[in-house]
Amino acid sequence: MFWDQKIETIERTALEALQLMRLQATVSRVACKVPRYQQKLADCGTKPSDIRSLADVQRLPFTSNSDLRDAYPAGLLAIAPDEVLRLHTSSGTTGKPKALFFSANDVNNAAELVARCLVMTGVTRRDVLQNMMTYGLFTGALVMHYGAEKVGCLVIPAGPGNSEKQLLLMQDFRTTIVHVTPSYALYLADFMEKKGVDPRKDLALRKAFVGAEPYTEETRRKIEEALGIDVYNSYGMSEMNGPGVAFECEHKCGMHLWEDNYLLEIVDPQTGKPLPDGQTGELVLTTLCREAMPLLRYRTRDITSIIPGPCPCGRTHRRLHRITGRTDDMLIVRGVNIYPQQIERVLMSLPSVGRNYQIVLEGLDEMTINVELAEAGFDGHVEHLTRLQSEITDRLRAEILTKPKVHLVPPGTLPVSEGKAKRVIDSRSL
Ligand SMILES: [Zn+2]
């Protein structure tokens, strides 16, 4: 099923020609309207007329997180202030936020991309989507909301938390889809179990769009099994309109990134040099259609790779592998680089492990991993616990190349999250 079949299945050569035309227009726009980009282009000696092929994107300057913060509030605005229709800010960070502006076309375009994503997974106007992301300055909820309305779904703007009410809404309005963070999806599964609600029998749920935090394939399976639904990976970020940048199709083998809207590069995070399809590195995106706030070569800090080859669904837009971490999530413990997702992958593959864990770093580089047992994971035999503890320790050591302390705790004892999970507590005195 397609929302916009013509553009979703466009031939690669036509797609690349469209990308080049839009890249040239974007560079000209920022060179003429945004003094900060005028300066950056001058610093790397590039004029808009130098962009003659897609490979010339490498002649353009990167845009970093700190560029956005330094430009706060309106230093990257490329349209007249009275043409701005909406403001969002980036989520979850301290200090100055990043301000993101949308023109009327930007608002509509963001919703169009979400509509493509939803229809790609089989959503129709008969679906009821309960949106459990945070409404407000964060793009996650609103952009999904408008996209789902475009498709014609009934949208329930539930927001996160208040599980009692979430469940009531799901039961009374026969919710078929939830848009949710992975940690909250797992929390809800536990909550339903406690309430004696069997999602397979008592609810109409059939899909979840899970995003806003990186998570592993093992966590996806855990959510699918616990709720009896299909879970689709989605990728988006406020700097790139919010949700709807890339999404899985029904084949669930990578997320199609809408290349008519975003020019995609994978670069070596240290050197910034481009990497070929299939190699893992940092995702860098250039907006191709944005009016209010175009961004050139934005360093997303997300680690992924391009999946080479065509997808059986017929879409020609290339696919991203799931995000395996963020360059700034990387922990350095005893000189070893560790991504929290590596730990999650090990824990979630073990049936005796429950749905919650915590990584605690303290003292002089001591790493302790608190692991909740599954409800059925403990039979009362201490020797079984000891065996499980050493199995987890061995598997983690094999994955992260350093030996953590593993501390097993009863189900439901670690702090739960009703929004984004805080998995890492770093109070090292280094
Ligand atoms: Zn596909």
Side-chain angles (χ1 to χ4, degrees):
M1 279 211 287
F2 295 93
W3 174 255
D4 188 346
Q5 187 164 5
K6 198 169 158 218
I7 194 71
E8 291 175 46
T9 60
I10 184 173
E11 294 266 350
R12 288 295 307 179
T13 44
L15 176 57
E16 283 163 18
L18 181 66
Q19 285 185 307
L20 178 60
M21 201 176 76
R22 289 179 172 174
L23 177 66
Q24 288 165 332
T26 298
V27 176
S28 300
R29 174 186 278 274
V30 296
C32 142
K33 309 260 187 187
V34 185
R36 188 170 284 264
Y37 270 125
Q38 282 163 1
Q39 187 59 49
K40 282 172 86 74
L41 286 164
D43 289 347
C44 56
T46 304
K47 298 187 295 297
S49 58
D50 294 332
I51 307 301
R52 294 187 207 97
S53 74
L54 287 178
D56 289 331
V57 71
Q58 287 171 49
R59 306 181 62 156
L60 296 172
F62 285 118
T63 304
S64 68
N65 212 13
S66 55
D67 286 316
L68 263 79
R69 287 186 202 289
D70 294 346
Y72 181 88
L76 287 170
L77 187 61
I79 56 176
D82 63 353
E83 289 176 65
V84 178
L85 204 69
R86 199 198 289 170
L87 168 72
H88 279 289
T89 63
S90 66
S91 59
T93 38
T94 49
K96 271 197 224 168
K98 291 174 270 181
L100 289 316
F101 299 100
F102 290 66
S103 69
N105 285 335
D106 294 338
V107 165
N108 184 54
N109 204 31
E112 274 290 315
L113 295 186
V114 169
R116 279 189 208 172
C117 295
L118 298 183
V119 171
M120 178 159 69
T121 67
V123 173
T124 72
R125 53 179 301 119
R126 289 185 297 282
D127 277 298
V128 178
L129 185 143
Q130 190 162 326
N131 196 353
M132 301 180 180
M133 294 291 179
T134 306
Y135 278 79
L137 286 167
F138 172 50
T139 51
L142 269 180
V143 173
M144 174 61 77
H145 184 114
Y146 283 96
E149 283 187 351
K150 223 175 230 295
V151 175
C153 301
L154 167 62
V155 185
I156 307 177
N162 198 345
S163 307
E164 201 74 62
K165 191 175 211 170
Q166 300 284 7
L167 191 54
L168 185 83
L169 291 168
M170 279 191 235
Q171 287 168 324
D172 292 346
F173 299 98
R174 308 301 293 160
T175 299
T176 57
I177 304 168
V178 289
H179 179 214
V180 66
T181 60
S183 50
Y184 192 50
L186 288 171
Y187 175 75
L188 266 181
D190 274 342
F191 183 79
M192 286 180 198
E193 217 168 87
K194 280 197 199 91
K195 292 272 161 185
V197 172
D198 177 352
R200 286 174 176 80
K201 285 205 218 101
D202 306 329
L203 301 176
L205 266 191
R206 58 187 193 97
K207 288 185 203 323
F209 301 130
V210 172
E213 293 165 1
Y215 63 106
T216 60
E217 198 53 36
E218 286 71 21
T219 297
R220 178 205 323 240
R221 276 200 287 278
K222 227 161 199 172
I223 299 171
E224 288 188 326
E225 276 158 29
L227 294 174
I229 55 173
D230 270 325
V231 170
Y232 292 91
N233 291 336
S234 64
Y235 179 73
M237 57 184 345
S238 295
E239 295 82 343
M240 294 288 141
N241 293 348
V245 175
F247 230 77
E248 281 183 322
C249 65
E250 74 270 24
H251 298 284
K252 293 190 190 170
C253 51
M255 301 179 285
H256 290 281
L257 186 134
W258 301 122
E259 293 187 75
D260 58 321
N261 274 257
Y262 304 99
L263 188 67
L264 135 76
E265 297 170 83
I266 302 286
V267 305
D268 179 317
Q270 261 83 47
T271 64
K273 294 272 176 276
L275 294 172
D277 282 15
Q279 280 199 26
T280 300
E282 181 181 351
L283 176 66
V284 171
L285 294 172
T286 299
T287 64
L288 295 176
C289 297
R290 273 241 292 256
E291 293 178 343
M293 199 170 149
L295 294 177
L296 302 182
R297 306 190 83 197
Y298 182 66
R299 302 282 301 247
T300 66
R301 290 160 295 138
D302 287 321
I303 302 292
T304 182
S305 60
I306 293 171
I307 298 172
C311 181
C313 75
R315 288 177 183 82
T316 48
H317 300 244
R318 282 179 297 172
R319 289 164 296 155
L320 290 184
H321 196 269
R322 71 162 56 251
I323 306 299
T324 52
R326 304 205 67 186
T327 54
D328 46 2
D329 275 352
M330 192 180 76
L331 307 168
I332 303 179
V333 180
R334 296 174 212 146
V336 181
N337 298 347
I338 299 170
Y339 289 104
Q341 287 73 31
Q342 292 176 283
I343 293 169
E344 179 173 318
R345 197 154 58 224
V346 170
L347 296 179
M348 294 299 144
S349 69
L350 296 166
S352 319
V353 168
R355 292 167 188 149
N356 208 354
Y357 67 94
Q358 201 179 46
I359 302 165
V360 181
L361 300 168
E362 57 200 346
L364 291 165
D365 243 1
E366 291 305 314
M367 182 187 227
T368 304
I369 304 179
N370 294 320
V371 180
E372 266 187 20
L373 288 165
E375 260 336 312
F378 180 46
D379 57 9
H381 292 287
V382 175
E383 63 271 29
H384 290 170
L385 271 188
T386 315
R387 202 182 308 148
L388 178 62
Q389 189 174 28
S390 55
E391 188 192 351
I392 296 175
T393 309
D394 290 346
R395 290 220 198 176
L396 285 171
R397 186 170 45 192
E399 174 70 34
I400 61 179
L401 311 174
T402 179
K403 188 179 169 183
K405 269 189 220 149
V406 171
H407 183 210
L408 299 177
V409 301
T413 46
L414 292 176
V416 291
S417 143
E418 295 201 346
K420 282 199 177 197
K422 274 204 180 61
R423 300 290 198 198
V424 182
I425 297 165
D426 192 345
S427 54
R428 283 178 288 187
S429 49
L430 291 176

